[in-house]
Amino acid sequence: MIKKVLILNGPNLNLLSEREQSQYGKISLEEIEKDCLKTSDDLDIELEFKQSNVEGEIVNILQNIRKTHNGLIINAAGFTHTSVSIRDALSILKMPIIEIHISNIYNREEFRKKSLISDVVTGGIFGLGAGSYKLALRALNDIIKNGNW
């Protein structure tokens, strides 16, 4: 079985390594992508990696993977707390989904403590830094392989 997974990143994550290093560290999104591609090769996963600052574009991407992918890892960034449209698009997907955040959203400002997407995803990884992406890939691989979703 070919395992095809998308890692989808929301707004401002393209500026990792340039912004709020105390929250997000010094690693760039490009470095995270390279690390994830190495991990996906080890796990025999066909990996796509995308980022968008545009809510509607993220919704379109989610709608387009319905029949082509086996799993999704999403860091919706600021849209986590505001986008009913992204939540609705996620709820349509019939695949395991892992929500990740580099920082611990539950240990930050009050408005960041509410995730509109957590109740429609399979699981989440929060506050473990850039390594959250590789952890999510390994977890998603196990979920797909064992059919535990």
Side-chain angles (χ1 to χ4, degrees):
M1 170 182 165
I2 296 173
K3 295 172 281 187
K4 189 168 183 180
V5 170
L6 172 65
I7 295 178
L8 182 56
N9 293 282
N12 298 311
L13 290 171
N14 57 309
L15 298 179
L16 284 178
S17 80
E18 296 180 37
R19 59 184 283 260
E20 296 180 90
Q21 290 183 355
S22 63
Q23 288 293 336
Y24 305 111
K26 296 181 180 182
I27 193 168
S28 70
L29 193 61
E30 292 80 16
E31 291 170 294
I32 292 171
E33 181 176 4
K34 286 178 189 171
D35 285 346
C36 288
L37 287 169
K38 287 179 194 170
T39 301
S40 68
D41 284 345
D42 293 342
L43 299 173
D44 199 29
I45 291 174
E46 185 180 330
L47 181 64
E48 264 187 279
F49 200 94
K50 295 185 178 193
Q51 187 275 329
S52 177
N53 293 318
V54 180
E55 182 179 20
E57 187 174 320
I58 291 172
V59 170
N60 287 338
I61 290 167
L62 292 171
Q63 289 178 359
N64 290 334
I65 67 165
R66 288 186 336 270
K67 297 177 182 170
T68 58
H69 289 67
N70 307 97
L72 171 70
I73 297 166
I74 184 165
N75 184 343
F79 289 140
T80 300
H81 321 290
T82 62
S83 181
V84 173
S85 298
I86 290 173
R87 181 199 185 283
D88 289 348
L90 288 168
S91 70
I92 293 167
L93 297 178
K94 304 298 182 223
M95 65 182 69
I97 304 166
I98 297 180
E99 174 186 1
I100 65 169
H101 296 282
I102 294 170
S103 67
N104 184 347
I105 62 173
Y106 301 105
N107 202 15
R108 296 192 60 192
E109 303 92 338
E110 197 60 38
F111 70 90
R112 292 188 198 274
K113 293 179 182 180
K114 174 66 177 163
S115 169
L116 296 182
I117 66 176
S118 286
D119 65 332
V120 296
V121 300
T122 309
I125 299 173
F126 310 94
L128 299 180
S132 300
Y133 286 86
K134 292 190 291 187
L135 288 171
L137 265 173
R138 292 187 187 286
L140 194 57
N141 182 62
D142 288 345
I143 292 167
I144 293 169
K145 189 167 58 175
N146 298 320
N148 296 335
W149 66 278

mmCIF file of all heavy atoms in Angstrom, residues 96-138:
data_model
loop_
_atom_site.group_PDB
_atom_site.id
_atom_site.type_symbol
_atom_site.label_atom_id
_atom_site.label_comp_id
_atom_site.label_asym_id
_atom_site.label_seq_id
_atom_site.Cartn_x
_atom_site.Cartn_y
_atom_site.Cartn_z
ATOM 1 N N PRO A 96 -6.857 9.661 8.651
ATOM 2 C CA PRO A 96 -6.297 10.140 9.912
ATOM 3 C C PRO A 96 -5.631 11.497 9.733
ATOM 4 O O PRO A 96 -4.965 11.742 8.723
ATOM 5 C CB PRO A 96 -5.293 9.061 10.304
ATOM 6 C CG PRO A 96 -5.007 8.298 9.075
ATOM 7 C CD PRO A 96 -6.182 8.463 8.162
ATOM 8 N N ILE A 97 -5.835 12.361 10.713
ATOM 9 C CA ILE A 97 -5.314 13.728 10.682
ATOM 10 C C ILE A 97 -4.646 14.013 12.021
ATOM 11 O O ILE A 97 -5.246 13.775 13.077
ATOM 12 C CB ILE A 97 -6.445 14.758 10.464
ATOM 13 C CG1 ILE A 97 -7.232 14.454 9.185
ATOM 14 C CG2 ILE A 97 -5.886 16.179 10.447
ATOM 15 C CD1 ILE A 97 -8.546 15.217 9.086
ATOM 16 N N ILE A 98 -3.436 14.542 11.962
ATOM 17 C CA ILE A 98 -2.751 14.953 13.182
ATOM 18 C C ILE A 98 -2.538 16.468 13.139
ATOM 19 O O ILE A 98 -1.978 16.997 12.181
ATOM 20 C CB ILE A 98 -1.409 14.218 13.358
ATOM 21 C CG1 ILE A 98 -1.680 12.718 13.498
ATOM 22 C CG2 ILE A 98 -0.660 14.751 14.586
ATOM 23 C CD1 ILE A 98 -0.453 11.875 13.675
ATOM 24 N N GLU A 99 -3.016 17.122 14.168
ATOM 25 C CA GLU A 99 -2.817 18.568 14.351
ATOM 26 C C GLU A 99 -1.516 18.762 15.114
ATOM 27 O O GLU A 99 -1.290 18.112 16.128
ATOM 28 C CB GLU A 99 -3.981 19.144 15.151
ATOM 29 C CG GLU A 99 -3.820 20.594 15.535
ATOM 30 C CD GLU A 99 -4.929 21.092 16.461
ATOM 31 O OE1 GLU A 99 -5.824 20.307 16.840
ATOM 32 O OE2 GLU A 99 -4.875 22.289 16.816
ATOM 33 N N ILE A 100 -0.661 19.640 14.615
ATOM 34 C CA ILE A 100 0.568 19.932 15.339
ATOM 35 C C ILE A 100 0.751 21.430 15.504
ATOM 36 O O ILE A 100 0.237 22.230 14.727
ATOM 37 C CB ILE A 100 1.826 19.327 14.658
ATOM 38 C CG1 ILE A 100 2.089 19.947 13.294
ATOM 39 C CG2 ILE A 100 1.729 17.827 14.560
ATOM 40 C CD1 ILE A 100 3.433 19.578 12.725
ATOM 41 N N HIS A 101 1.491 21.767 16.559
ATOM 42 C CA HIS A 101 1.913 23.140 16.810
ATOM 43 C C HIS A 101 3.301 23.083 17.416
ATOM 44 O O HIS A 101 3.547 22.297 18.340
ATOM 45 C CB HIS A 101 0.945 23.862 17.755
ATOM 46 C CG HIS A 101 -0.426 24.013 17.175
ATOM 47 N ND1 HIS A 101 -0.705 24.982 16.241
ATOM 48 C CD2 HIS A 101 -1.547 23.291 17.350
ATOM 49 C CE1 HIS A 101 -1.975 24.856 15.878
ATOM 50 N NE2 HIS A 101 -2.502 23.826 16.532
ATOM 51 N N ILE A 102 4.185 23.889 16.910
ATOM 52 C CA ILE A 102 5.555 23.933 17.412
ATOM 53 C C ILE A 102 5.570 24.400 18.858
ATOM 54 O O ILE A 102 6.272 23.845 19.698
ATOM 55 C CB ILE A 102 6.417 24.850 16.508
ATOM 56 C CG1 ILE A 102 6.547 24.228 15.108
ATOM 57 C CG2 ILE A 102 7.785 25.091 17.131
ATOM 58 C CD1 ILE A 102 7.160 25.137 14.063
ATOM 59 N N SER A 103 4.791 25.417 19.153
ATOM 60 C CA SER A 103 4.690 25.914 20.530
ATOM 61 C C SER A 103 3.499 25.239 21.210
ATOM 62 O O SER A 103 2.644 24.640 20.560
ATOM 63 C CB SER A 103 4.516 27.435 20.542
ATOM 64 O OG SER A 103 3.260 27.788 19.990
ATOM 65 N N ASN A 104 3.445 25.350 22.514
ATOM 66 C CA ASN A 104 2.329 24.810 23.263
ATOM 67 C C ASN A 104 1.222 25.861 23.308
ATOM 68 O O ASN A 104 1.303 26.825 24.071
ATOM 69 C CB ASN A 104 2.765 24.428 24.674
ATOM 70 C CG ASN A 104 1.645 23.775 25.451
ATOM 71 O OD1 ASN A 104 0.490 23.809 25.058
ATOM 72 N ND2 ASN A 104 1.997 23.186 26.583
ATOM 73 N N ILE A 105 0.198 25.674 22.485
ATOM 74 C CA ILE A 105 -0.865 26.678 22.394
ATOM 75 C C ILE A 105 -1.627 26.816 23.707
ATOM 76 O O ILE A 105 -2.269 27.836 23.941
ATOM 77 C CB ILE A 105 -1.842 26.392 21.229
ATOM 78 C CG1 ILE A 105 -2.568 25.053 21.414
ATOM 79 C CG2 ILE A 105 -1.107 26.457 19.896
ATOM 80 C CD1 ILE A 105 -3.672 24.795 20.389
ATOM 81 N N TYR A 106 -1.550 25.808 24.566
ATOM 82 C CA TYR A 106 -2.262 25.854 25.838
ATOM 83 C C TYR A 106 -1.454 26.541 26.932
ATOM 84 O O TYR A 106 -1.918 26.694 28.052
ATOM 85 C CB TYR A 106 -2.659 24.441 26.264
ATOM 86 C CG TYR A 106 -3.536 23.800 25.215
ATOM 87 C CD1 TYR A 106 -3.036 22.828 24.363
ATOM 88 C CD2 TYR A 106 -4.850 24.219 25.036
ATOM 89 C CE1 TYR A 106 -3.835 22.274 23.371
ATOM 90 C CE2 TYR A 106 -5.650 23.674 24.050
ATOM 91 C CZ TYR A 106 -5.130 22.701 23.220
ATOM 92 O OH TYR A 106 -5.921 22.174 22.237
ATOM 93 N N ASN A 107 -0.254 26.969 26.563
ATOM 94 C CA ASN A 107 0.632 27.645 27.500
ATOM 95 C C ASN A 107 0.963 29.055 26.999
ATOM 96 O O ASN A 107 2.018 29.582 27.311
ATOM 97 C CB ASN A 107 1.915 26.809 27.645
ATOM 98 C CG ASN A 107 2.656 27.096 28.910
ATOM 99 O OD1 ASN A 107 2.128 27.692 29.825
ATOM 100 N ND2 ASN A 107 3.913 26.694 28.949
ATOM 101 N N ARG A 108 0.050 29.605 26.214
ATOM 102 C CA ARG A 108 0.272 30.918 25.608
ATOM 103 C C ARG A 108 -0.891 31.849 25.906
ATOM 104 O O ARG A 108 -1.634 31.646 26.854
ATOM 105 C CB ARG A 108 0.491 30.742 24.096
ATOM 106 C CG ARG A 108 1.763 29.935 23.810
ATOM 107 C CD ARG A 108 2.181 29.958 22.397
ATOM 108 N NE ARG A 108 2.447 31.327 21.938
ATOM 109 C CZ ARG A 108 2.621 31.647 20.672
ATOM 110 N NH1 ARG A 108 2.564 30.722 19.734
ATOM 111 N NH2 ARG A 108 2.854 32.880 20.316
ATOM 112 N N GLU A 109 -1.084 32.851 25.060
ATOM 113 C CA GLU A 109 -2.153 33.814 25.268
ATOM 114 C C GLU A 109 -3.511 33.096 25.286
ATOM 115 O O GLU A 109 -3.677 32.058 24.657
ATOM 116 C CB GLU A 109 -2.168 34.861 24.140
ATOM 117 C CG GLU A 109 -0.881 35.614 23.952
ATOM 118 C CD GLU A 109 0.058 34.995 22.934
ATOM 119 O OE1 GLU A 109 -0.048 33.785 22.636
ATOM 120 O OE2 GLU A 109 0.931 35.725 22.447
ATOM 121 N N GLU A 110 -4.446 33.699 25.976
ATOM 122 C CA GLU A 110 -5.758 33.077 26.157
ATOM 123 C C GLU A 110 -6.429 32.732 24.819
ATOM 124 O O GLU A 110 -7.013 31.663 24.668
ATOM 125 C CB GLU A 110 -6.655 34.007 26.989
ATOM 126 C CG GLU A 110 -7.860 33.323 27.576
ATOM 127 C CD GLU A 110 -7.522 32.164 28.514
ATOM 128 O OE1 GLU A 110 -6.551 32.240 29.280
ATOM 129 O OE2 GLU A 110 -8.260 31.162 28.456
ATOM 130 N N PHE A 111 -6.350 33.623 23.842
ATOM 131 C CA PHE A 111 -7.035 33.388 22.570
ATOM 132 C C PHE A 111 -6.451 32.202 21.805
ATOM 133 O O PHE A 111 -7.106 31.618 20.956
ATOM 134 C CB PHE A 111 -7.038 34.645 21.687
ATOM 135 C CG PHE A 111 -5.687 35.029 21.119
ATOM 136 C CD1 PHE A 111 -5.261 34.545 19.888
ATOM 137 C CD2 PHE A 111 -4.850 35.886 21.829
ATOM 138 C CE1 PHE A 111 -4.032 34.902 19.372
ATOM 139 C CE2 PHE A 111 -3.618 36.252 21.309
ATOM 140 C CZ PHE A 111 -3.209 35.755 20.079
ATOM 141 N N ARG A 112 -5.208 31.813 22.107
ATOM 142 C CA ARG A 112 -4.584 30.666 21.426
ATOM 143 C C ARG A 112 -4.954 29.333 22.060
ATOM 144 O O ARG A 112 -4.647 28.282 21.522
ATOM 145 C CB ARG A 112 -3.068 30.810 21.437
ATOM 146 C CG ARG A 112 -2.559 31.947 20.590
ATOM 147 C CD ARG A 112 -1.038 31.887 20.496
ATOM 148 N NE ARG A 112 -0.484 33.149 20.077
ATOM 149 C CZ ARG A 112 -0.347 33.526 18.813
ATOM 150 N NH1 ARG A 112 -0.712 32.731 17.844
ATOM 151 N NH2 ARG A 112 0.170 34.699 18.527
ATOM 152 N N LYS A 113 -5.585 29.357 23.199
ATOM 153 C CA LYS A 113 -5.883 28.121 23.923
ATOM 154 C C LYS A 113 -7.075 27.367 23.354
ATOM 155 O O LYS A 113 -7.324 26.226 23.727
ATOM 156 C CB LYS A 113 -6.104 28.419 25.406
ATOM 157 C CG LYS A 113 -4.834 28.891 26.079
ATOM 158 C CD LYS A 113 -5.036 29.200 27.534
ATOM 159 C CE LYS A 113 -3.728 29.711 28.125
ATOM 160 N NZ LYS A 113 -3.853 30.037 29.524
ATOM 161 N N LYS A 114 -7.809 27.975 22.455
ATOM 162 C CA LYS A 114 -8.970 27.333 21.845
ATOM 163 C C LYS A 114 -8.624 26.930 20.415
ATOM 164 O O LYS A 114 -8.340 27.767 19.568
ATOM 165 C CB LYS A 114 -10.170 28.284 21.846
ATOM 166 C CG LYS A 114 -11.380 27.767 21.113
ATOM 167 C CD LYS A 114 -11.967 26.557 21.781
ATOM 168 C CE LYS A 114 -13.233 26.115 21.062
ATOM 169 N NZ LYS A 114 -13.624 24.775 21.401
ATOM 170 N N SER A 115 -8.636 25.625 20.176
ATOM 171 C CA SER A 115 -8.443 25.117 18.828
ATOM 172 C C SER A 115 -9.798 24.744 18.253
ATOM 173 O O SER A 115 -10.518 23.919 18.834
ATOM 174 C CB SER A 115 -7.534 23.886 18.837
ATOM 175 O OG SER A 115 -7.564 23.248 17.572
ATOM 176 N N LEU A 116 -10.143 25.328 17.127
ATOM 177 C CA LEU A 116 -11.399 24.980 16.466
ATOM 178 C C LEU A 116 -11.301 23.658 15.715
ATOM 179 O O LEU A 116 -12.322 23.124 15.282
ATOM 180 C CB LEU A 116 -11.810 26.091 15.484
ATOM 181 C CG LEU A 116 -12.132 27.445 16.084
ATOM 182 C CD1 LEU A 116 -12.565 28.419 14.993
ATOM 183 C CD2 LEU A 116 -13.191 27.343 17.164
ATOM 184 N N ILE A 117 -10.078 23.129 15.557
ATOM 185 C CA ILE A 117 -9.919 21.914 14.752
ATOM 186 C C ILE A 117 -9.646 20.654 15.580
ATOM 187 O O ILE A 117 -9.764 19.551 15.060
ATOM 188 C CB ILE A 117 -8.839 22.090 13.664
ATOM 189 C CG1 ILE A 117 -7.454 22.274 14.250
ATOM 190 C CG2 ILE A 117 -9.209 23.249 12.742
ATOM 191 C CD1 ILE A 117 -6.331 22.347 13.214
ATOM 192 N N SER A 118 -9.299 20.805 16.847
ATOM 193 C CA SER A 118 -8.907 19.637 17.650
ATOM 194 C C SER A 118 -9.979 18.560 17.717
ATOM 195 O O SER A 118 -9.664 17.376 17.784
ATOM 196 C CB SER A 118 -8.522 20.059 19.068
ATOM 197 O OG SER A 118 -7.270 20.689 19.064
ATOM 198 N N ASP A 119 -11.241 18.946 17.692
ATOM 199 C CA ASP A 119 -12.296 17.932 17.833
ATOM 200 C C ASP A 119 -12.621 17.208 16.529
ATOM 201 O O ASP A 119 -13.439 16.284 16.534
ATOM 202 C CB ASP A 119 -13.552 18.537 18.455
ATOM 203 C CG ASP A 119 -14.217 19.580 17.590
ATOM 204 O OD1 ASP A 119 -13.535 20.246 16.799
ATOM 205 O OD2 ASP A 119 -15.448 19.744 17.713
ATOM 206 N N VAL A 120 -11.984 17.575 15.423
ATOM 207 C CA VAL A 120 -12.226 16.863 14.158
ATOM 208 C C VAL A 120 -10.968 16.165 13.634
ATOM 209 O O VAL A 120 -10.973 15.652 12.522
ATOM 210 C CB VAL A 120 -12.828 17.785 13.070
ATOM 211 C CG1 VAL A 120 -14.206 18.282 13.483
ATOM 212 C CG2 VAL A 120 -11.893 18.930 12.720
ATOM 213 N N VAL A 121 -9.907 16.145 14.439
ATOM 214 C CA VAL A 121 -8.677 15.459 14.033
ATOM 215 C C VAL A 121 -8.502 14.199 14.880
ATOM 216 O O VAL A 121 -9.145 14.024 15.914
ATOM 217 C CB VAL A 121 -7.436 16.369 14.150
ATOM 218 C CG1 VAL A 121 -7.586 17.607 13.262
ATOM 219 C CG2 VAL A 121 -7.150 16.769 15.585
ATOM 220 N N THR A 122 -7.612 13.337 14.428
ATOM 221 C CA THR A 122 -7.357 12.075 15.124
ATOM 222 C C THR A 122 -6.585 12.297 16.412
ATOM 223 O O THR A 122 -6.838 11.644 17.424
ATOM 224 C CB THR A 122 -6.563 11.134 14.187
ATOM 225 O OG1 THR A 122 -7.242 11.062 12.929
ATOM 226 C CG2 THR A 122 -6.427 9.749 14.779
ATOM 227 N N GLY A 123 -5.611 13.218 16.378
ATOM 228 C CA GLY A 123 -4.795 13.499 17.548
ATOM 229 C C GLY A 123 -3.983 14.746 17.343
ATOM 230 O O GLY A 123 -4.031 15.361 16.267
ATOM 231 N N GLY A 124 -3.218 15.119 18.377
ATOM 232 C CA GLY A 124 -2.440 16.343 18.286
ATOM 233 C C GLY A 124 -1.123 16.257 19.018
ATOM 234 O O GLY A 124 -0.986 15.496 19.981
ATOM 235 N N ILE A 125 -0.182 17.046 18.549
ATOM 236 C CA ILE A 125 1.133 17.176 19.177
ATOM 237 C C ILE A 125 1.386 18.670 19.341
ATOM 238 O O ILE A 125 1.361 19.414 18.361
ATOM 239 C CB ILE A 125 2.239 16.523 18.322
ATOM 240 C CG1 ILE A 125 1.953 15.027 18.148
ATOM 241 C CG2 ILE A 125 3.608 16.752 18.958
ATOM 242 C CD1 ILE A 125 2.878 14.320 17.179
ATOM 243 N N PHE A 126 1.636 19.096 20.583
ATOM 244 C CA PHE A 126 1.754 20.515 20.885
ATOM 245 C C PHE A 126 2.984 20.775 21.736
ATOM 246 O O PHE A 126 3.238 20.073 22.706
ATOM 247 C CB PHE A 126 0.523 20.997 21.668
ATOM 248 C CG PHE A 126 -0.775 20.601 21.044
ATOM 249 C CD1 PHE A 126 -1.428 19.452 21.435
ATOM 250 C CD2 PHE A 126 -1.334 21.368 20.042
ATOM 251 C CE1 PHE A 126 -2.629 19.076 20.854
ATOM 252 C CE2 PHE A 126 -2.530 21.005 19.445
ATOM 253 C CZ PHE A 126 -3.180 19.851 19.855
ATOM 254 N N GLY A 127 3.743 21.810 21.375
ATOM 255 C CA GLY A 127 4.783 22.305 22.254
ATOM 256 C C GLY A 127 6.084 21.526 22.263
ATOM 257 O O GLY A 127 6.918 21.756 23.119
ATOM 258 N N LEU A 128 6.287 20.645 21.311
ATOM 259 C CA LEU A 128 7.514 19.851 21.279
ATOM 260 C C LEU A 128 8.490 20.343 20.221
ATOM 261 O O LEU A 128 9.395 19.614 19.818
ATOM 262 C CB LEU A 128 7.175 18.371 21.082
ATOM 263 C CG LEU A 128 6.306 17.770 22.188
ATOM 264 C CD1 LEU A 128 6.026 16.309 21.901
ATOM 265 C CD2 LEU A 128 6.942 17.943 23.555
ATOM 266 N N GLY A 129 8.300 21.568 19.773
ATOM 267 C CA GLY A 129 9.218 22.176 18.825
ATOM 268 C C GLY A 129 9.089 21.619 17.423
ATOM 269 O O GLY A 129 8.115 20.945 17.085
ATOM 270 N N ALA A 130 10.103 21.890 16.614
ATOM 271 C CA ALA A 130 10.088 21.474 15.208
ATOM 272 C C ALA A 130 10.061 19.960 15.072
ATOM 273 O O ALA A 130 9.590 19.426 14.063
ATOM 274 C CB ALA A 130 11.290 22.060 14.483
ATOM 275 N N GLY A 131 10.534 19.251 16.083
ATOM 276 C CA GLY A 131 10.491 17.793 16.057
ATOM 277 C C GLY A 131 9.085 17.232 16.042
ATOM 278 O O GLY A 131 8.880 16.046 15.766
ATOM 279 N N SER A 132 8.091 18.084 16.321
ATOM 280 C CA SER A 132 6.692 17.653 16.283
ATOM 281 C C SER A 132 6.321 17.086 14.920
ATOM 282 O O SER A 132 5.506 16.170 14.830
ATOM 283 C CB SER A 132 5.767 18.829 16.603
ATOM 284 O OG SER A 132 6.034 19.342 17.880
ATOM 285 N N TYR A 133 6.922 17.630 13.872
ATOM 286 C CA TYR A 133 6.607 17.169 12.522
ATOM 287 C C TYR A 133 7.031 15.710 12.326
ATOM 288 O O TYR A 133 6.260 14.897 11.811
ATOM 289 C CB TYR A 133 7.299 18.061 11.485
ATOM 290 C CG TYR A 133 6.659 19.414 11.322
ATOM 291 C CD1 TYR A 133 7.009 20.470 12.151
ATOM 292 C CD2 TYR A 133 5.723 19.643 10.325
ATOM 293 C CE1 TYR A 133 6.427 21.722 12.004
ATOM 294 C CE2 TYR A 133 5.143 20.891 10.161
ATOM 295 C CZ TYR A 133 5.491 21.933 11.005
ATOM 296 O OH TYR A 133 4.918 23.160 10.849
ATOM 297 N N LYS A 134 8.256 15.379 12.741
ATOM 298 C CA LYS A 134 8.731 14.004 12.591
ATOM 299 C C LYS A 134 7.962 13.051 13.509
ATOM 300 O O LYS A 134 7.662 11.926 13.108
ATOM 301 C CB LYS A 134 10.230 13.923 12.841
ATOM 302 C CG LYS A 134 11.048 14.622 11.768
ATOM 303 C CD LYS A 134 12.533 14.343 11.877
ATOM 304 C CE LYS A 134 13.114 14.992 13.097
ATOM 305 N NZ LYS A 134 14.589 14.883 13.147
ATOM 306 N N LEU A 135 7.646 13.495 14.709
ATOM 307 C CA LEU A 135 6.823 12.673 15.600
ATOM 308 C C LEU A 135 5.456 12.385 14.965
ATOM 309 O O LEU A 135 4.953 11.258 15.025
ATOM 310 C CB LEU A 135 6.617 13.374 16.940
ATOM 311 C CG LEU A 135 7.813 13.461 17.869
ATOM 312 C CD1 LEU A 135 7.502 14.380 19.048
ATOM 313 C CD2 LEU A 135 8.213 12.083 18.359
ATOM 314 N N ALA A 136 4.875 13.401 14.369
ATOM 315 C CA ALA A 136 3.573 13.239 13.726
ATOM 316 C C ALA A 136 3.657 12.281 12.539
ATOM 317 O O ALA A 136 2.754 11.457 12.334
ATOM 318 C CB ALA A 136 3.032 14.598 13.281
ATOM 319 N N LEU A 137 4.729 12.366 11.769
ATOM 320 C CA LEU A 137 4.904 11.441 10.642
ATOM 321 C C LEU A 137 4.976 9.998 11.120
ATOM 322 O O LEU A 137 4.350 9.110 10.547
ATOM 323 C CB LEU A 137 6.181 11.782 9.876
ATOM 324 C CG LEU A 137 6.052 12.676 8.668
ATOM 325 C CD1 LEU A 137 7.428 13.047 8.131
ATOM 326 C CD2 LEU A 137 5.216 12.038 7.580
ATOM 327 N N ARG A 138 5.742 9.764 12.169
ATOM 328 C CA ARG A 138 5.868 8.403 12.703
ATOM 329 C C ARG A 138 4.525 7.908 13.256
ATOM 330 O O ARG A 138 4.131 6.765 13.026
ATOM 331 C CB ARG A 138 6.954 8.353 13.772
ATOM 332 C CG ARG A 138 8.340 8.565 13.189
ATOM 333 C CD ARG A 138 9.442 8.361 14.209
ATOM 334 N NE ARG A 138 10.723 8.725 13.673
ATOM 335 C CZ ARG A 138 11.417 8.022 12.778
ATOM 336 N NH1 ARG A 138 10.924 6.904 12.313
ATOM 337 N NH2 ARG A 138 12.594 8.437 12.346
#
